[in-house]
Amino acid sequence: NAHNGIEEWSFIPQALLETQKDLMDNINGAHIYGLDSTPTIRVYDANNNGSIEPAGTDIDGNGSITTNEKDYVHAYVSMRRGGRNIYAFDITPSTKITDRTTTNAVSPKLMWRIDGGSGDFSALGQTWSRPLPATINYNGSPKDVLIFAGGYHTGQDDSFGVSAYGNAIYIVDADNGNRLWWASNTGADLNLAEMIYAIPSDVALMDANSDGVIERLYVGDTGGQLWRIDLAATLSSSTGARLAAISSSADDADKRKFFYPPDVAQMSDGVFSTTKLYDLVTISSGNRSHPLDATVNDRFYAFRDTHVASVIPSGFTPITASDMADVTDVNIQSGSADATALKSKKGWFINFQEYNDDWKGEKGLSSPLILDGKIFFATYIPEADTSEDPCGGAVEGSGRLYAVNLLNGAAVYDWYNPPVNPNNQAVLTVEDRRDPLGDGIPSDPIAVFQKTGVDVMVGTGGGATVVDPEVGLPRKRTFWQQLRIE
């Protein structure tokens, strides 16, 4: 109960019953995973009154109850590291919840279960990719569905290469879990030869024409490929292609992986791009299964998808780093030579490196946020444990928050005590793109809209931030890093 903290119900899947004794025994402190993901919620409020009426309520008062009058709340839970299944629950309250002390208003019912690794979902791996509710055109009619990727393959923990499963994208019926369509490299409704790597990321859903229906999907994989899927009104006619491919197995530094979804913005840009209308697809690379890795040269990417009026044509060559502008060491200004060079490129990228060229393993372990002409994204920097003191405590590493111009990756805030020009105005440099956060792996940047303005908030590990570790000043407790957007 959100008002008093009392547990109202709980659920343990059958697949995890066998782990209970191991959890109790706690042999050698082994880390045993259970349901390790964030649920997604699908809410239907028939009369849009902000309250969920229980089943059997005559909402319009005409003496009869129609299907469209039946409010409901459904929850979808995947297992992530805990397994390969997905569970769907009906958590519609049995009574109208109006009293803050109301308890036991929800008696959850298991609607259906998807068993990964069998039947129609034989290619489904560990269910890292959350099932996202969406409305699509399904054979000419709107339909409520769930969209998720094939998930994670544990073989990726210590390697870079082809995955035996997880290399798929699924669309299922939200009401019963039946598979409606899927893409993979073989045996699927849409076969894409290069879809050979696991896809643990959530899928970015795009309603390109604002009609309330999802027509386009973007998602990255553990082979450094970024996929675009175009959903047709007749689902079986859907198409897909690689928008970008930025990794290579030939060099450890180039073994980049995508674990988190991109954010996408529709652009009209005649200043920094030769093609004025395009969709900007922004994404960070970083290995979530190995956050302490310091060998891969991870980056933040902003890809220009110029196929806004049609699907990606057959034979399209995916974007690579050589097609993009490296803006790591340049703060591009309008009218400059760098701006002119950027116009002919297919996007830009920023290397996660120190400005003295040292490499510390900085990586993106969250999704970016596009807001107010800017891109906000967080990174994590692992910290080597050089202490020989066994009581010295765990080494958490630290996070950073970046804010850059949507068009060219330039700094937008005075965050680094830069020099000032003769007019006593701050001169922004590449160092001003980022600001330190607290310890641990930061969360996604989240936009919070309020009457007084828009805040960007980022959670940090342990709810603590180091004020000044160099001189040993104390930590201050904080559960969010907050930035006000003026």
Side-chain angles (χ1 to χ4, degrees), residues 243-419:
L243 177 65
I246 50 81
S247 297
S248 169
S249 59
D251 188 335
D252 286 346
D254 292 329
K255 294 178 179 179
R256 302 178 190 88
K257 300 181 179 185
F258 292 128
F259 274 77
Y260 291 86
D263 199 7
V264 187
Q266 295 177 307
M267 307 296 296
S268 178
D269 167 26
V271 177
F272 296 100
S273 174
T274 303
T275 302
K276 184 175 182 180
L277 299 179
Y278 60 91
D279 292 334
L280 191 71
V281 186
T282 65
I283 190 170
S284 294
S285 71
N287 189 347
R288 186 63 180 85
S289 67
H290 196 354
L292 301 183
D293 173 75
T295 60
V296 179
N297 178 12
D298 283 306
R299 296 168 173 168
F300 181 83
Y301 293 92
F303 301 103
R304 292 175 180 159
D305 184 355
T306 58
H307 301 93
V308 296
S310 62
V311 302
I312 293 182
S314 176
F316 174 79
T317 300
I319 300 170
T320 65
S322 62
D323 301 316
M324 307 179 74
D326 180 353
V327 301
T328 307
D329 296 318
V330 58
N331 209 44
I332 293 179
Q333 304 299 318
S334 179
S336 67
D338 294 311
T340 301
L342 178 58
K343 290 191 70 168
S344 63
K345 298 295 185 177
K346 297 180 180 179
W348 50 266
F349 67 85
I350 296 172
N351 276 305
F352 293 145
Q353 65 185 36
E354 298 304 293
Y355 293 109
N356 59 5
D357 292 329
D358 286 346
W359 174 244
K360 293 188 175 181
E362 185 178 0
K363 54 183 63 67
L365 300 181
S366 61
S367 183
L369 168 68
I370 295 175
L371 179 68
D372 190 33
K374 307 172 184 68
I375 310 171
F376 300 88
F377 57 94
T379 64
Y380 171 69
I381 307 168
E383 183 177 346
D385 187 0
T386 57
S387 171
E388 297 182 359
D389 180 5
C391 300
V395 176
E396 298 175 89
S398 60
R400 285 173 173 161
L401 175 64
Y402 285 72
V404 301
N405 187 292
L406 182 63
L407 301 176
N408 55 23
V412 291
Y413 293 115
D414 178 8
W415 274 351
Y416 195 71
N417 299 318

